[in-house]
Amino acid sequence: MKKLVLLGAGYGNMRIMNRILGNLPADVEVTLVDRTAFHSLKTEFYALASGTVPDSDVRVALPAHERLKVVEGEIAAIEIDERCILLTDGRKVAYDQLVIGLGCEDNYHSVPGAAEHTFSIQTIGQSRETYKKLLNLNSGATVAIVGAGLSGIELASELRESRSDLNIKLFDRGPRILRDFPERLSNYIKTWFDKNDVDVIASSNITKVEGNRIYNHEDQMEVDAVVWTAGIQPTKVVRELDVEKDKSHRVVLNQYHQIPGHEEVYAVGDIASLPHAPSAQLAEGQAEQIVTVLRHTWNDEKLPETMPDIKLKGFMGSLGKKQGFAYLADRTVTGRIARLLKSGVLWMYKWHNG
Ligand SMILES: Cc1cc2nc3c(=O)[nH]c(=O)nc-3n(C[C@H](O)[C@H](O)[C@H](O)COP(=O)(O)OP(=O)(O)OC[C@H]3O[C@@H](n4cnc5c(N)ncnc54)[C@H](O)[C@@H]3O)c2cc1C
């Protein structure tokens, strides 16, 4: 039996399982390792943290198959030369082929106090903690959200709808929200925040976080909670893996998504060095290609000369439950339609994933 081991039940590995399990060669068995016994809908963690959806809405059951084994546990290290995975409880999982899809965690950019004093929406466990903190705040409390990328925008707007009694400050590093995209999109989001009393602080630079204080440049502000949405990096296990990385610590791969020198090891999703910003969509596009390559290796076929580019459709974001925005095929869509599109994509995703 050939042992294919998948690390992480994220968007990348879910797509791989969906594509291979229906037609798994008789001599291949799959082991999935994750700290949770379900697939987490990370793209919805902002809603979990804001208390607008129940926990059960952001969990999806893992697929079942007679040759799929699920190992629940915390991965401590990938012993790439020994072809084995070490769990924190001492268990080991050996592999012939490996797909690493362990996603990312917050990048605090060495800001003092950020790791210790901020809340996160990077894992389901952290999002639950953030939910507890935010929903227990007294009326009139101030929440600072550091970083006005997609996740910061979605969190600020969802929290506003959930708690109209909180002061919400959204710190944006750029002069305007989503500055790399059309001004119409930025203006639409900014207008929503103005109307809904979310204070957007442009051109900010958070230099320090203390227990109940945040420093923007030299200005100090008293706050009751800080949520960090200001950057990501691959998980620690991947950062500690002794292979070539790019400047964002993501794993450098060949065109078949394999680690050069360790062609039995693939990296998928947020940890992979690809010419696009990390996203669930990208993880899934990459997963499709990994499935093609795996099938070639299982059939002892020559790999394609070149792999096609991964096509991305754009992105969508929500502003609470009724409004949203999308940037698709270089076109900006805003309002109710964009929100319905986003809900529709989530509904389809859940439907396809059982
Ligand atoms: C609030 C928010 C909104 C987002 N919105 C969008 C969006 O609209 N569209 C979009 O395309 N992308 C969006 N993203 C980004 C998207 O969620 C990620 O790009 C995507 O989840 C990456 O998928 P992945 O397969 O790399 O890993 P993930 O989906 O992150 O999964 C990683 C898995 O690895 C497991 N794991 C990690 N470390 C360990 C360990 N040491 N031991 C055991 N298990 C471990 C985790 O439990 C998890 O199941 C959003 C992200 C956030 C935070």
Side-chain angles (χ1 to χ4, degrees):
M1 276 286 179
K2 293 179 194 134
K3 288 191 178 65
L4 170 67
V5 172
L6 309 176
L7 300 187
Y11 290 85
N13 276 332
M14 281 297 282
R15 179 59 64 91
I16 289 178
M17 287 188 286
N18 284 343
R19 291 288 184 263
I20 64 173
L21 291 178
N23 189 12
L24 191 65
D27 62 344
V28 177
E29 61 181 23
V30 183
T31 302
L32 172 71
V33 189
D34 199 291
R35 58 166 73 99
T36 63
F38 46 82
H39 164 53
S40 298
L41 299 179
K42 185 167 186 174
T43 60
E44 304 307 304
F45 284 175
Y46 69 90
L48 177 64
S50 303
T52 56
V53 300
D55 200 276
S56 55
D57 269 20
V58 302
R59 284 185 264 124
V60 167
L62 297 175
H65 187 279
E66 57 187 5
R67 272 176 286 124
L68 169 67
K69 182 178 164 199
V70 177
V71 174
E72 213 179 315
E74 185 71 25
I75 298 156
I78 300 165
E79 298 181 341
I80 202 160
D81 293 326
E82 285 74 38
R83 296 193 181 189
C84 123
I85 306 308
L86 178 65
L87 303 189
T88 50
D89 60 11
R91 280 179 292 168
K92 289 196 169 195
V93 180
Y95 63 81
D96 299 309
Q97 289 176 305
L98 179 71
V99 185
I100 313 170
L102 292 175
C104 62
E105 54 190 43
D106 291 299
N107 186 346
Y108 298 106
H109 308 290
S110 308
V111 173
E116 297 81 4
H117 302 298
T118 67
F119 287 81
S120 170
I121 54 169
Q122 284 303 326
T123 69
I124 194 164
Q126 289 171 317
S127 304
R128 287 169 180 157
E129 291 304 313
T130 304
Y131 160 79
K132 274 193 244 161
K133 177 69 183 179
L134 296 181
L135 275 290
N136 280 317
L137 288 172
N138 290 333
S139 182
T142 299
V143 177
I145 298 171
V146 182
L150 191 57
S151 50
I153 292 170
E154 292 191 311
L155 177 67
S157 50
E158 197 81 6
L159 184 62
R160 165 51 71 229
E161 285 195 352
S162 174
R163 294 280 314 258
S164 59
D165 58 332
L166 297 177
N167 298 311
I168 303 175
K169 313 258 176 215
L170 178 59
F171 289 91
D172 186 10
R173 203 180 175 99
R176 65 173 171 91
I177 284 182
L178 299 183
R179 66 174 151 181
D180 296 334
F181 296 93
E183 220 163 331
R184 183 163 109 72
L185 191 60
S186 308
N187 291 342
Y188 174 75
I189 299 168
K190 179 67 169 60
T191 305
W192 191 97
F193 281 135
D194 289 344
K195 270 194 199 148
N196 289 276
D197 202 20
V198 172
D199 190 9
V200 180
I201 301 157
S203 304
S204 59
N205 181 22
I206 301 306
T207 51
K208 189 155 78 161
V209 186
E210 290 172 347
N212 279 88
R213 192 169 298 130
I214 189 163
Y215 294 73
N216 178 24
H217 299 279
E218 267 82 59
D219 298 341
Q220 302 180 28
M221 187 186 285
E222 297 296 315
V223 290
D224 298 283
V226 182
V227 188
W228 193 263
T229 54
I232 54 170
Q233 59 182 342
T235 47
K236 188 160 166 276
V237 171
V238 172
R239 295 203 306 279
E240 288 175 350
L241 188 61
D242 187 17
V243 296
E244 191 187 346
K245 316 270 174 52
D246 65 13
K247 62 179 172 24
S248 307
H249 309 289
R250 297 185 300 179
V251 178
V252 172
L253 302 169
N254 66 20
Q255 63 160 335
Y256 305 114
H257 310 289
Q258 301 162 327
I259 297 183
H262 294 279
E263 281 73 17
E264 72 285 2
V265 183
Y266 302 73
V268 70
D270 287 359
I271 65 154
S273 180
L274 294 169
H276 304 281
S279 70
Q281 200 188 141
L282 178 63
E284 291 178 336
Q286 198 197 357
E288 297 282 357
Q289 297 200 347
I290 292 175
V291 168
T292 303
V293 176
L294 284 171
R295 287 211 181 278
H296 275 74
T297 65
W298 293 336
N299 297 335
D300 280 328
E301 290 165 358
K302 192 170 176 297
L303 294 178
E305 283 290 307
T306 52
M307 298 297 285
D309 291 340
I310 299 173
K311 297 261 182 307
L312 298 177
K313 297 189 182 75
F315 64 85
M316 286 181 265
S318 63
L319 291 169
K321 291 284 180 255
K322 295 199 182 104
Q323 302 292 317
F325 54 89
Y327 187 67
L328 302 169
D330 293 333
R331 291 183 57 183
T332 301
V333 186
T334 56
R336 189 101 201 202
I337 289 182
R339 186 66 181 93
L340 285 170
L341 272 175
K342 187 176 150 87
S343 302
V345 168
L346 176 63
W347 188 88
M348 289 286 286
Y349 186 84
K350 287 185 171 178
W351 191 75
H352 280 296
N353 287 279

